[in-house]
Amino acid sequence: MKKVWLWLLLCVLAAVVCIPMYFLIDGSLMGKGEVTEYLAPVMQNKNGFASFRLLPMYPTLRSYVELLLDSPEFFVMFWNSVKLTLLILAGQLVTGVPAAWGFARLRIPGKRMLFQLYVILMLMPFQVTMLSNYLTLDRLRLLDTHAAIILPAVFSTFPVFLMYRFFENIPESILESARVDGAGSWTIFRKIGVPLGSAGIVSAMVLGFLEYWNLIEQPLVFLKDKSLWPLSLYLPNIGLEEAGMAFVASVVTLIPSLLVFFAGGEYLEQGIAASAVKE
């Protein structure tokens, strides 16, 4: 009986969590006048509260048509997001995977102290390092370019920390057997380390995608040219008159994140569990 009540409670909590998602889709199917009527108390500082119908009074796909066919700015920002996210993740694979393997398996003087420094840097929010990053990028003449977003993110510490946990858990006996068979360090890393640590690599990439697909602060600080802005900055520039398009843009923006999350959800759970283990 307790399991039944627990199951019902979890279903209720899941339904509550999904309510914003439902109203997001609901709003994307409403006409401009209907959305304006419901959101006017909030977005025009009128008395009352925003309200929503359970189902649109007159369902329409007009907002989808306007956004996907008549909004070139949306597609520019969409491809900016794709470019930034893919290049950042590719850079993290190239730099982060070898770094994580080095921390986990190579004998390097001062390795533990350097790793602790990595952890400290990981705990610092963007606001703390924003000024130093800005001055460095300005000196390198990278401000107002996509490189100002890509380069700092490529050398992010969190993916290294996450992948390090997986590489560290590889049994030493396996690596020792490979050394006895004559395998060198590069061969061990490529044929044993990467395959056995693939769960950590994938979970780091999934978390990285979810973070960099939704960048807000970095583009606002480092990019002045709006043509370089990612899709995450498209929504704040939409007013009440385009509220219907805002709902549609939110749905379209959410789809890639959902696909990546469902594709790598199992690895993501392993990554979260591994990152929670204390040193």
PDB file of all heavy atoms in Angstrom, residues 74-89:
ATOM      1  N   PHE A  74      15.904  34.895 -36.282  1.00  0.00           N
ATOM      2  CA  PHE A  74      15.848  33.683 -35.475  1.00  0.00           C
ATOM      3  C   PHE A  74      16.836  32.643 -35.996  1.00  0.00           C
ATOM      4  O   PHE A  74      17.557  32.009 -35.211  1.00  0.00           O
ATOM      5  CB  PHE A  74      14.427  33.114 -35.492  1.00  0.00           C
ATOM      6  CG  PHE A  74      14.297  31.766 -34.839  1.00  0.00           C
ATOM      7  CD1 PHE A  74      14.163  31.658 -33.468  1.00  0.00           C
ATOM      8  CD2 PHE A  74      14.313  30.610 -35.604  1.00  0.00           C
ATOM      9  CE1 PHE A  74      14.057  30.413 -32.863  1.00  0.00           C
ATOM     10  CE2 PHE A  74      14.198  29.361 -35.010  1.00  0.00           C
ATOM     11  CZ  PHE A  74      14.060  29.268 -33.637  1.00  0.00           C
ATOM     12  N   PHE A  75      16.900  32.472 -37.306  1.00  0.00           N
ATOM     13  CA  PHE A  75      17.783  31.453 -37.868  1.00  0.00           C
ATOM     14  C   PHE A  75      19.254  31.845 -37.736  1.00  0.00           C
ATOM     15  O   PHE A  75      20.120  30.986 -37.572  1.00  0.00           O
ATOM     16  CB  PHE A  75      17.424  31.180 -39.329  1.00  0.00           C
ATOM     17  CG  PHE A  75      16.203  30.335 -39.481  1.00  0.00           C
ATOM     18  CD1 PHE A  75      14.972  30.909 -39.748  1.00  0.00           C
ATOM     19  CD2 PHE A  75      16.264  28.967 -39.324  1.00  0.00           C
ATOM     20  CE1 PHE A  75      13.840  30.129 -39.876  1.00  0.00           C
ATOM     21  CE2 PHE A  75      15.141  28.167 -39.447  1.00  0.00           C
ATOM     22  CZ  PHE A  75      13.915  28.755 -39.726  1.00  0.00           C
ATOM     23  N   VAL A  76      19.536  33.142 -37.822  1.00  0.00           N
ATOM     24  CA  VAL A  76      20.916  33.593 -37.604  1.00  0.00           C
ATOM     25  C   VAL A  76      21.360  33.230 -36.197  1.00  0.00           C
ATOM     26  O   VAL A  76      22.456  32.684 -35.980  1.00  0.00           O
ATOM     27  CB  VAL A  76      21.030  35.110 -37.835  1.00  0.00           C
ATOM     28  CG1 VAL A  76      22.393  35.615 -37.376  1.00  0.00           C
ATOM     29  CG2 VAL A  76      20.818  35.445 -39.306  1.00  0.00           C
ATOM     30  N   MET A  77      20.506  33.513 -35.211  1.00  0.00           N
ATOM     31  CA  MET A  77      20.843  33.194 -33.833  1.00  0.00           C
ATOM     32  C   MET A  77      20.866  31.682 -33.599  1.00  0.00           C
ATOM     33  O   MET A  77      21.683  31.178 -32.816  1.00  0.00           O
ATOM     34  CB  MET A  77      19.842  33.857 -32.885  1.00  0.00           C
ATOM     35  CG  MET A  77      19.958  35.360 -32.831  1.00  0.00           C
ATOM     36  SD  MET A  77      18.877  36.076 -31.570  1.00  0.00           S
ATOM     37  CE  MET A  77      19.456  37.779 -31.568  1.00  0.00           C
ATOM     38  N   PHE A  78      19.991  30.955 -34.273  1.00  0.00           N
ATOM     39  CA  PHE A  78      19.975  29.504 -34.132  1.00  0.00           C
ATOM     40  C   PHE A  78      21.304  28.903 -34.582  1.00  0.00           C
ATOM     41  O   PHE A  78      21.902  28.087 -33.873  1.00  0.00           O
ATOM     42  CB  PHE A  78      18.825  28.910 -34.947  1.00  0.00           C
ATOM     43  CG  PHE A  78      18.770  27.409 -34.926  1.00  0.00           C
ATOM     44  CD1 PHE A  78      18.148  26.745 -33.891  1.00  0.00           C
ATOM     45  CD2 PHE A  78      19.360  26.660 -35.939  1.00  0.00           C
ATOM     46  CE1 PHE A  78      18.094  25.352 -33.860  1.00  0.00           C
ATOM     47  CE2 PHE A  78      19.317  25.279 -35.923  1.00  0.00           C
ATOM     48  CZ  PHE A  78      18.686  24.618 -34.881  1.00  0.00           C
ATOM     49  N   TRP A  79      21.781  29.315 -35.751  1.00  0.00           N
ATOM     50  CA  TRP A  79      23.042  28.760 -36.254  1.00  0.00           C
ATOM     51  C   TRP A  79      24.245  29.283 -35.465  1.00  0.00           C
ATOM     52  O   TRP A  79      25.261  28.604 -35.364  1.00  0.00           O
ATOM     53  CB  TRP A  79      23.198  29.051 -37.745  1.00  0.00           C
ATOM     54  CG  TRP A  79      22.249  28.244 -38.566  1.00  0.00           C
ATOM     55  CD1 TRP A  79      21.193  28.688 -39.298  1.00  0.00           C
ATOM     56  CD2 TRP A  79      22.251  26.811 -38.709  1.00  0.00           C
ATOM     57  NE1 TRP A  79      20.529  27.643 -39.892  1.00  0.00           N
ATOM     58  CE2 TRP A  79      21.157  26.473 -39.556  1.00  0.00           C
ATOM     59  CE3 TRP A  79      23.051  25.783 -38.213  1.00  0.00           C
ATOM     60  CZ2 TRP A  79      20.870  25.156 -39.900  1.00  0.00           C
ATOM     61  CZ3 TRP A  79      22.764  24.475 -38.549  1.00  0.00           C
ATOM     62  CH2 TRP A  79      21.690  24.169 -39.384  1.00  0.00           C
ATOM     63  N   ASN A  80      24.100  30.479 -34.887  1.00  0.00           N
ATOM     64  CA  ASN A  80      25.152  30.932 -33.970  1.00  0.00           C
ATOM     65  C   ASN A  80      25.254  30.000 -32.764  1.00  0.00           C
ATOM     66  O   ASN A  80      26.357  29.649 -32.323  1.00  0.00           O
ATOM     67  CB  ASN A  80      24.861  32.359 -33.490  1.00  0.00           C
ATOM     68  CG  ASN A  80      25.153  33.396 -34.549  1.00  0.00           C
ATOM     69  OD1 ASN A  80      25.890  33.150 -35.502  1.00  0.00           O
ATOM     70  ND2 ASN A  80      24.575  34.576 -34.392  1.00  0.00           N
ATOM     71  N   SER A  81      24.104  29.597 -32.229  1.00  0.00           N
ATOM     72  CA  SER A  81      24.099  28.674 -31.092  1.00  0.00           C
ATOM     73  C   SER A  81      24.691  27.329 -31.474  1.00  0.00           C
ATOM     74  O   SER A  81      25.451  26.725 -30.703  1.00  0.00           O
ATOM     75  CB  SER A  81      22.666  28.484 -30.571  1.00  0.00           C
ATOM     76  OG  SER A  81      22.203  29.631 -29.913  1.00  0.00           O
ATOM     77  N   VAL A  82      24.322  26.837 -32.661  1.00  0.00           N
ATOM     78  CA  VAL A  82      24.863  25.556 -33.126  1.00  0.00           C
ATOM     79  C   VAL A  82      26.385  25.641 -33.252  1.00  0.00           C
ATOM     80  O   VAL A  82      27.121  24.751 -32.798  1.00  0.00           O
ATOM     81  CB  VAL A  82      24.229  25.161 -34.472  1.00  0.00           C
ATOM     82  CG1 VAL A  82      24.931  23.941 -35.064  1.00  0.00           C
ATOM     83  CG2 VAL A  82      22.743  24.870 -34.300  1.00  0.00           C
ATOM     84  N   LYS A  83      26.868  26.726 -33.860  1.00  0.00           N
ATOM     85  CA  LYS A  83      28.309  26.902 -34.045  1.00  0.00           C
ATOM     86  C   LYS A  83      29.035  26.963 -32.708  1.00  0.00           C
ATOM     87  O   LYS A  83      30.037  26.247 -32.494  1.00  0.00           O
ATOM     88  CB  LYS A  83      28.564  28.182 -34.843  1.00  0.00           C
ATOM     89  CG  LYS A  83      30.032  28.562 -34.969  1.00  0.00           C
ATOM     90  CD  LYS A  83      30.195  29.908 -35.653  1.00  0.00           C
ATOM     91  CE  LYS A  83      31.653  30.343 -35.681  1.00  0.00           C
ATOM     92  NZ  LYS A  83      31.812  31.681 -36.313  1.00  0.00           N
ATOM     93  N   LEU A  84      28.537  27.786 -31.806  1.00  0.00           N
ATOM     94  CA  LEU A  84      29.198  27.947 -30.515  1.00  0.00           C
ATOM     95  C   LEU A  84      29.212  26.637 -29.734  1.00  0.00           C
ATOM     96  O   LEU A  84      30.250  26.222 -29.201  1.00  0.00           O
ATOM     97  CB  LEU A  84      28.494  29.034 -29.703  1.00  0.00           C
ATOM     98  CG  LEU A  84      28.635  30.475 -30.199  1.00  0.00           C
ATOM     99  CD1 LEU A  84      27.719  31.399 -29.419  1.00  0.00           C
ATOM    100  CD2 LEU A  84      30.076  30.947 -30.088  1.00  0.00           C
ATOM    101  N   THR A  85      28.074  25.973 -29.673  1.00  0.00           N
ATOM    102  CA  THR A  85      27.965  24.758 -28.868  1.00  0.00           C
ATOM    103  C   THR A  85      28.844  23.644 -29.416  1.00  0.00           C
ATOM    104  O   THR A  85      29.576  22.987 -28.658  1.00  0.00           O
ATOM    105  CB  THR A  85      26.500  24.289 -28.810  1.00  0.00           C
ATOM    106  OG1 THR A  85      25.677  25.353 -28.314  1.00  0.00           O
ATOM    107  CG2 THR A  85      26.357  23.078 -27.899  1.00  0.00           C
ATOM    108  N   LEU A  86      28.796  23.421 -30.714  1.00  0.00           N
ATOM    109  CA  LEU A  86      29.573  22.333 -31.306  1.00  0.00           C
ATOM    110  C   LEU A  86      31.077  22.579 -31.191  1.00  0.00           C
ATOM    111  O   LEU A  86      31.841  21.658 -30.877  1.00  0.00           O
ATOM    112  CB  LEU A  86      29.179  22.133 -32.770  1.00  0.00           C
ATOM    113  CG  LEU A  86      27.767  21.592 -33.018  1.00  0.00           C
ATOM    114  CD1 LEU A  86      27.527  21.380 -34.505  1.00  0.00           C
ATOM    115  CD2 LEU A  86      27.535  20.297 -32.250  1.00  0.00           C
ATOM    116  N   LEU A  87      31.512  23.814 -31.424  1.00  0.00           N
ATOM    117  CA  LEU A  87      32.939  24.105 -31.334  1.00  0.00           C
ATOM    118  C   LEU A  87      33.441  24.007 -29.891  1.00  0.00           C
ATOM    119  O   LEU A  87      34.557  23.538 -29.642  1.00  0.00           O
ATOM    120  CB  LEU A  87      33.233  25.491 -31.909  1.00  0.00           C
ATOM    121  CG  LEU A  87      33.100  25.617 -33.429  1.00  0.00           C
ATOM    122  CD1 LEU A  87      33.391  27.044 -33.885  1.00  0.00           C
ATOM    123  CD2 LEU A  87      34.044  24.646 -34.136  1.00  0.00           C
ATOM    124  N   ILE A  88      32.620  24.439 -28.952  1.00  0.00           N
ATOM    125  CA  ILE A  88      33.010  24.335 -27.547  1.00  0.00           C
ATOM    126  C   ILE A  88      33.144  22.865 -27.137  1.00  0.00           C
ATOM    127  O   ILE A  88      34.134  22.458 -26.519  1.00  0.00           O
ATOM    128  CB  ILE A  88      31.990  25.051 -26.646  1.00  0.00           C
ATOM    129  CG1 ILE A  88      32.108  26.564 -26.816  1.00  0.00           C
ATOM    130  CG2 ILE A  88      32.208  24.676 -25.172  1.00  0.00           C
ATOM    131  CD1 ILE A  88      31.019  27.344 -26.107  1.00  0.00           C
ATOM    132  N   LEU A  89      32.158  22.052 -27.491  1.00  0.00           N
ATOM    133  CA  LEU A  89      32.202  20.641 -27.117  1.00  0.00           C
ATOM    134  C   LEU A  89      33.353  19.921 -27.811  1.00  0.00           C
ATOM    135  O   LEU A  89      34.012  19.066 -27.200  1.00  0.00           O
ATOM    136  CB  LEU A  89      30.870  19.975 -27.454  1.00  0.00           C
ATOM    137  CG  LEU A  89      29.655  20.490 -26.678  1.00  0.00           C
ATOM    138  CD1 LEU A  89      28.412  19.703 -27.067  1.00  0.00           C
ATOM    139  CD2 LEU A  89      29.883  20.400 -25.171  1.00  0.00           C
TER     140      LEU A  89
END
